[in-house]
Amino acid sequence: MTTSKTTDNTGYKEAYRDHLGNVTQEGKRLKIHPQRPVGRHHSVRRIVSWVLLAILFTGPFVEIGGHPLLLLNILERKFVLFGVPFWPQDLHLFLLAVLSLVVFIVLFTAVFGRIWCGWVCPQTIFMEMIFRKIEYWIEGDAAMQRRLDREPWTQVKILKKMLKHGVFFAISFLIANTFLAYISGSGPLWQIITDPPSEHLQGLFSISIFSLVFYGVFARFREQACIIVCPYGRWQSAMVNEDTIAVTYDYRRGEPRAKLKRAEHETEGTGDCIDCGQCVQVCPTGIDIRNGIQLECVNCTACIDACDAIMDKVERPRGLIRYSSYRGIEENRRKLLTPRVLAYAAVLVVLLGVVTYLFATRDQLQAVILREPGKLHTDLADGRLANFYSVKIINKTFAEVPVEIRVVEPAAAEIIPLGDLAQVPPQGMLVGRFLLALPREGLMPGRNPVGFAIYADGRFVSAVESAFLAPHNVQKKGS
Ligand code: SF4
Ligand code: SF4
């Protein structure tokens, strides 16, 4: 959607589409020094960012009833979301939840464009609300940063750069520790910190690598993460349309742009854009929003605030750049509930309904009983036959659960535990073995069906079916 008339020196109107805002015509990376954003959108974003940062940094350390609020232990496949544990056995639930999230993102993006990027994405929040602010604090505003970069390596410049990169690395180290706490839990992280380094070489190696990666992203790679790497940024161009709300320049009001003139007759026939370039100066991805919605725009709202400040100064109404849709600008009407949006919403409601139902009815205890392969049967001293079984009971709750395995059929069968099969630890698994003893009478040669029932705290939890193998001459003792 092109909305204005940026041309190159040949008159080609869409020259801006041929190269990225942070890359020169020769293909070299252009370091962006955006001006410090100020304004009401930025103030609200700052509050939202601090709230989200507080959640992010405390997530793995806050506990609900002694359990982590968030844990994403990929290595051991343990997940805790808002105090609710998920096990590998909940994979179907997990996949459906991820699918719901994808549909939600599609729906959200179709309606609100890339609002996620500007307001919620950790990359933008860390970059714009922490690292960029430290840069302003140490090196000054955009113009001072440019000047410092051009200067020779004086003592002051070396000190400033060392201080900046030292603070950057310290924060990256903090982020890496938090990241590891999400993966391994706060307990193992605390052990890595307090135990002798030689006992946790792998953990220390992981923290070092994460720290370097975060440092590299925020000190050097920066906006390229959003423009080149992030799949969501690419994906969103397929999801937005004329009705999607995004940070948009009102070209009907702004064009034809013209430098500010004092005499009234000189401004006749011109739009409200005074071509001051402030919206471009504050943009962290280096684009000119007046060219229309672009892939590089992360909806950070800095250009809205910058333009509003200019409009205040020239006594024209705010909102030349604002949240709107292409149709909102073109036809002055917004249409949120398009058939596409309604279809996505319907799919999302169905998916959420299924996930909620499955979640509400999922087993808190899951049991698997398998006849051990290899050994067919064994003779007991009292003349009965026995088979070996292995049992696994997973406890998804945070409390220790007393369990009992009972035989449902055949009635004459007896379970002889080979170890402790009475308790399942919280968030843990009971792994054990037992013998199932049966009198020879009534047994058929070969496979005989057996059924077990699992009781937790005296309550029936689940039934498990298996088989008992008897020899072909089962009726003869000592066979
Ligand atoms: S800040 Fe506003 S007035 Fe200035 S160039 Fe951008 S759109 Fe035009
Ligand atoms: S165009 Fe505006 S909203 Fe988009 S990234 Fe640049 S400053 Fe932020």
Side-chain angles (χ1 to χ4, degrees):
M1 281 172 275
T2 310
T3 55
S4 66
K5 299 180 178 60
T6 298
T7 60
D8 64 7
N9 50 16
T10 64
Y12 174 49
K13 288 182 182 170
E14 299 202 9
Y16 70 93
R17 291 198 192 279
D18 296 342
H19 65 93
L20 295 171
N22 61 345
V23 177
T24 64
Q25 297 282 3
E26 293 75 39
K28 283 178 86 177
R29 168 101 185 265
L30 198 62
K31 188 173 177 190
I32 295 174
H33 296 98
Q35 258 176 33
R36 197 193 302 253
V38 195
R40 63 197 168 117
H41 287 85
H42 186 73
S43 301
V44 179
R45 271 187 68 222
R46 198 168 44 211
I47 295 168
V48 173
S49 299
W50 285 114
V51 171
L52 292 175
L53 284 170
I55 295 171
L56 187 93
F57 278 113
T58 53
F61 306 104
V62 170
E63 296 194 339
I64 301 176
H67 317 297
L69 183 70
L70 290 169
L71 176 71
L72 305 169
N73 190 339
I74 301 163
L75 303 177
E76 291 175 24
R77 292 178 292 162
K78 275 189 187 174
F79 302 93
V80 181
L81 298 180
F82 302 104
V84 180
F86 289 85
W87 280 73
Q89 288 71 15
D90 297 321
L91 185 68
H92 63 294
L93 201 57
F94 188 71
L95 289 180
L96 274 173
V98 170
L99 190 62
S100 306
L101 182 68
V102 170
V103 175
F104 173 75
I105 292 172
V106 170
L107 172 66
F108 192 82
T109 309
V111 179
F112 296 109
R114 223 171 154 176
I115 277 185
W116 158 272
C117 304
W119 290 80
V120 188
C121 176
Q123 162 72 23
T124 312
I125 290 180
F126 279 128
M127 187 65 243
E128 303 305 325
M129 294 296 169
I130 296 186
F131 288 88
R132 192 87 72 189
K133 296 224 181 282
I134 290 166
E135 201 162 56
Y136 291 135
W137 172 58
I138 296 173
E139 295 188 354
D141 208 341
M144 293 172 77
Q145 289 177 22
R146 269 188 228 108
R147 209 176 309 132
L148 188 72
D149 281 355
R150 281 196 303 267
E151 271 177 18
W153 284 94
T154 59
Q155 210 174 7
V156 173
K157 179 169 172 173
I158 292 170
L159 273 176
K160 281 187 175 179
K161 293 287 180 190
M162 276 176 59
L163 177 62
K164 182 179 92 169
H165 288 285
V167 177
F168 276 10
F169 191 80
I171 295 172
S172 303
F173 180 73
L174 190 69
I175 299 172
N177 276 270
T178 312
F179 190 64
L180 196 68
Y182 273 105
I183 295 175
S184 65
S186 55
L189 175 69
W190 187 242
Q191 282 178 348
I192 293 174
I193 294 169
T194 53
D195 287 354
S198 57
E199 290 180 20
H200 296 284
L201 290 178
Q202 200 182 349
L204 287 171
F205 179 73
S206 307
I207 290 179
S208 309
I209 294 293
F210 288 151
S211 303
L212 285 172
V213 169
F214 286 126
Y215 169 75
V217 167
F218 295 116
R220 179 103 191 110
F221 201 62
R222 301 195 153 190
E223 77 286 347
Q224 294 183 113
C226 309
I227 298 174
I228 301 170
V229 177
C230 177
Y232 178 60
R234 311 246 136 198
W235 189 27
Q236 58 112 27
S237 55
M239 290 184 283
V240 299
N241 62 14
E242 293 84 357
D243 295 303
T244 302
I245 292 170
V247 174
T248 313
Y249 167 66
D250 186 345
Y251 61 93
R252 287 169 67 89
R253 191 185 130 192
E255 300 296 319
R257 66 188 77 160
K259 293 283 179 201
L260 187 64
K261 302 279 183 356
R262 287 292 160 209
E264 213 167 275
H265 70 274
E266 289 179 305
T267 58
E268 259 174 39
T270 62
D272 276 353
C273 175
I274 60 166
D275 208 11
C276 63
Q278 281 301 303
C279 50
V280 183
Q281 295 297 320
V282 292
C283 180
T285 61
I287 60 169
D288 185 344
I289 192 64
R290 293 173 298 170
N291 289 327
I293 296 171
Q294 293 152 75
L295 182 142
E296 296 96 317
C297 175
V298 292
N299 273 238
C300 74
T301 69
C303 54
I304 299 183
D305 284 335
C307 189
D308 279 352
I310 297 295
M311 290 297 110
D312 287 350
K313 278 187 194 147
V314 299
E315 295 174 354
R316 289 175 191 173
R318 289 179 168 190
L320 181 57
I321 301 175
R322 62 181 184 272
Y323 276 119
S324 187
S325 62
Y326 178 76
R327 206 190 299 275
I329 301 287
E330 181 68 24
E331 300 170 18
N332 202 20
R333 72 184 172 93
R334 282 204 198 156
K335 196 175 170 202
L336 283 186
L337 297 178
T338 60
R340 189 170 69 128
V341 168
L342 290 173
Y344 289 152
V347 173
L348 183 62
V349 167
V350 171
L351 274 172
L352 287 178
V354 173
V355 171
T356 310
Y357 172 77
L358 289 176
F359 184 74
T361 56
R362 79 173 179 155
D363 295 333
Q364 293 296 327
L365 222 61
Q366 262 185 345
V368 179
I369 297 176
L370 293 173
R371 200 188 151 275
E372 286 189 351
K375 196 159 192 202
L376 289 181
H377 60 86
T378 193
D379 293 300
L380 298 182
D382 59 9
R384 289 183 297 173
L385 273 177
N387 277 193
F388 286 93
Y389 292 82
S390 64
V391 56
K392 265 188 195 172
I393 304 178
I394 295 164
N395 177 8
K396 297 178 187 173
T397 71
F398 288 119
E400 189 173 66
V401 178
V403 287
E404 191 189 346
I405 306 167
R406 297 182 194 168
V407 186
V408 180
E409 69 149 326
E414 183 198 354
I415 288 175
I416 305 169
L418 302 172
D420 184 7
L421 299 179
Q423 306 280 347
V424 194
Q427 275 282 286
M429 187 157 46
L430 181 153
V431 181
R433 299 171 76 216
F434 64 84
L435 271 172
L436 185 70
L438 271 170
R440 291 165 175 272
E441 297 76 43
L443 277 176
M444 305 287 293
R447 213 178 144 82
N448 293 265
V450 289
F452 301 98
I454 313 295
Y455 286 78
D457 242 346
R459 278 185 306 109
F460 172 77
V461 176
S462 63
V464 182
E465 287 182 1
S466 188
F468 185 97
L469 285 192
H472 67 279
N473 53 352
V474 59
Q475 300 303 336
K476 287 189 200 161
K477 186 173 187 296
S479 56

